[in-house]
Amino acid sequence: MTDETRQHRFATKAIHAGAAPDPATGARAQPIYFTNGFVFESTEQAADIFAVRKTGFSYSRGSNPTVAALERRVAALEGAKAAIAVASGQSAVLLVLMTLMRSGDSYVASPRLFGGSLGLMRRLDGRYDLKPRFARGMEPADFEAAITPDCKAIVCESIVNPCGFVMDLEGISAVAKRHGLPLIVDNTLASPALIRPIEHGADIVVHSTSKFLAGSGQVIGGVICDGGTFDWVKAGGYDLINQPWPDYDGLVIPERFPETPFAVACRLFGLRDLGPGLSPMNAFLTLTGIETLPLRMERHCSNAKAVAAFLRDHPAVEWVSYPGLPGQTGEANVARYSPQGPGSIFTFALKGGETAAKKFITSLDLVSHLVNIGEIKTLAIHPATTTHRQLSPSERAIAFVGPETVRLSIGLETIEDLIADISQALDQVG
């Protein structure tokens, strides 16, 4: 990212950051480098790249020019010092947790998270003794109360999947700083167009790029952003970051990479060792999607608010969880952190219970019954039997995903057409 790019505003960065006309051909679009390896200039250069004495491309599992352009763009949009692109959002969460912790360590997690994240956390706890300590509530004091001496991090989402609640990031960041812990924020539902967590005290930001960043439901991918804000050396105890790497000639990462030690540790351990690299084609499609991100998020939010308001007033609907509406729980956090709106994913409950919820979904015509979110098309799912099925009934209730609940991901269609389809589906529920 050049000094000139740093000064550009968000929409300009979304189009230009991280990429430039190809110097070899003049191609304006970012080229897709479909190659697994790269020719070295000399044996000395090859040795230097593999020993991390110099930067450069060697094998696409660890780095690829197309993927690197995506990393630079997302880092620019999030205000991060560096980013690491990986094969999926789930891979991003996995690499962050495994880079920070070893068996026996714990971390504090929000009680409301995406079901896939919760499932991963429990599997890592059962098999590898990486212990999530779930806060009792959503307030900063709840996170602080869950901290134990073996705690290594705090984890939350900026906007909660699927209820749409906006977290008090600055409050939680203050807790993390008091205890010398890094704050990890999953920013998938907000995207940097709505919230940039590093500006509110986050140290690490993760995304499933399969959602709003790419936007069209074509790709799977993830990204980890290193804010460069946490003092890993002062904190101590993070061995993959602070201890010498014998297989890299005794490399001590913060000494050689003082601004981005976490990103470097993620690349060496996560990509070189574990190997969930991102395809250059998926990187290219995500780069293309990001170019329209600011425009899309405006329409996502305006459509979502209109649909949520319609549902709130419908006689077949028990409740709507969308804090962008007046009087909803969490309205103050929306005004503080995401004034454009709390994204376009939310839940609502039907008075007819599970039968009505499933009937509503199968009666939709324009809206697709699909598990993804953040696409230009509007999507609906029954989370209690899909994305959050592994949770207990009480845990589903906390997450606002009971059997009567439908999750909507509102797209970019004309709002009158969306409401007409939702209305006819509600009529069939009875």
Side-chain angles (χ1 to χ4, degrees):
M1 184 167 55
T2 66
D3 290 340
E4 182 181 0
T5 303
R6 292 178 199 275
Q7 297 170 7
H8 288 152
R9 292 170 177 81
F10 188 87
T12 305
K13 290 181 181 180
I15 297 169
H16 291 280
D22 180 49
T25 65
R28 190 61 188 88
Q30 170 63 41
I32 306 170
Y33 288 89
F34 256 132
T35 180
N36 58 19
F38 302 84
V39 174
F40 300 113
E41 296 174 1
S42 65
T43 57
E44 290 79 13
Q45 184 205 28
D48 286 342
I49 290 174
F50 268 81
V52 204
R53 290 188 292 267
K54 292 183 178 179
T55 59
F57 300 107
S58 60
Y59 193 64
S60 278
R61 185 181 76 232
S63 188
N64 173 284
T66 312
V67 177
L70 173 64
E71 293 170 342
R72 291 190 296 268
R73 182 165 297 175
V74 177
L77 295 181
E78 284 288 5
K81 291 291 181 63
I84 306 295
V86 293
S88 68
Q90 194 82 331
S91 294
V93 175
L94 172 67
L95 294 193
V96 167
L97 295 177
M98 294 192 72
T99 300
L100 290 179
M101 289 177 288
R102 60 193 309 166
S103 294
D105 289 338
S106 74
Y107 56 100
V108 174
S110 170
R112 296 188 203 168
L113 291 168
F114 166 57
S117 298
L118 291 170
L120 171 64
M121 289 174 173
R122 288 180 175 146
R123 196 78 69 190
L124 291 175
D125 183 16
R127 292 186 63 85
Y128 303 107
D129 198 25
L130 305 180
K131 306 182 188 72
R133 312 283 190 196
F134 292 103
R136 289 185 176 273
M138 307 291 279
E139 297 302 316
D142 298 313
F143 285 80
E144 190 154 30
I147 294 173
T148 55
D150 58 0
C151 184
K152 295 295 185 183
I154 296 177
V155 181
C156 69
E157 296 172 344
S158 55
I159 299 178
V160 178
N161 184 358
C163 66
F165 186 84
V166 177
M167 300 297 290
D168 180 2
L169 296 177
E170 291 178 3
I172 298 170
S173 170
V175 170
K177 285 177 171 53
R178 279 198 296 273
H179 293 269
L181 299 171
L183 174 60
I184 303 157
V185 177
D186 185 333
N187 201 34
T188 298
L189 265 66
S191 89
L194 298 183
I195 302 175
R196 290 176 288 281
I198 293 169
E199 294 178 0
H200 301 291
D203 301 293
I204 299 164
V205 174
V206 299
H207 284 275
S208 169
T209 60
S210 320
K211 280 64 175 181
F212 290 106
L213 291 181
S216 294
Q218 299 168 318
V219 305
I220 298 292
V223 70
I224 302 163
C225 297
D226 181 355
T229 51
F230 190 76
D231 191 337
W232 301 99
V233 175
K234 180 181 178 181
Y238 299 92
D239 62 318
L240 277 181
I241 299 172
N242 289 322
Q243 295 301 310
W245 288 58
D247 46 345
Y248 290 96
D249 301 329
L251 169 69
V252 178
I253 293 175
E255 294 178 0
R256 193 171 299 171
F257 302 96
E259 290 194 332
T260 58
F262 179 74
V264 173
C266 276
R267 190 176 299 280
L268 295 183
F269 173 59
L271 294 184
R272 286 197 177 183
D273 290 347
L274 299 182
L278 181 67
S279 159
M281 175 58 81
N282 283 353
F284 172 81
L285 291 171
T286 305
L287 277 165
T288 303
I290 289 173
E291 292 176 355
T292 60
L293 176 66
L295 296 173
R296 287 188 284 110
M297 293 310 292
E298 289 180 12
R299 182 65 168 262
H300 278 300
C301 288
S302 64
N303 274 1
K305 186 174 184 179
V307 171
F310 170 78
L311 289 168
R312 179 193 56 188
D313 298 333
H314 197 282
V317 174
E318 184 70 32
W319 52 257
V320 174
S321 177
Y322 187 73
L325 296 177
Q328 288 262 310
T329 301
E331 182 184 3
N333 280 356
V334 174
R336 181 178 180 184
Y337 294 107
S338 189
Q340 289 188 67
S344 69
I345 286 84
F346 64 90
T347 51
F348 71 98
L350 286 153
K351 292 178 180 177
E354 181 172 1
T355 300
K358 291 181 175 179
K359 176 65 175 174
F360 168 79
I361 291 171
T362 57
S363 299
L364 293 165
D365 182 24
L366 182 66
V367 178
S368 298
H369 182 197
L370 191 67
V371 75
N372 197 31
I373 55 174
E375 295 187 16
I376 58 176
K377 303 174 183 68
T378 297
L379 314 171
I381 198 71
H382 186 246
T385 55
T386 57
T387 58
H388 290 67
R389 65 179 300 276
Q390 73 272 38
L391 305 185
S392 68
S394 61
E395 290 169 331
R396 290 188 203 127
I398 292 172
F400 284 72
V401 288
E404 73 286 359
T405 304
V406 174
R407 182 187 74 184
L408 290 177
S409 173
I410 303 299
L412 310 184
E413 299 93 342
T414 301
I415 189 60
E416 290 83 1
D417 294 332
L418 275 180
I419 289 178
D421 189 41
I422 290 169
S423 179
Q424 67 82 22
L426 289 170
D427 290 343
Q428 294 186 56
V429 168

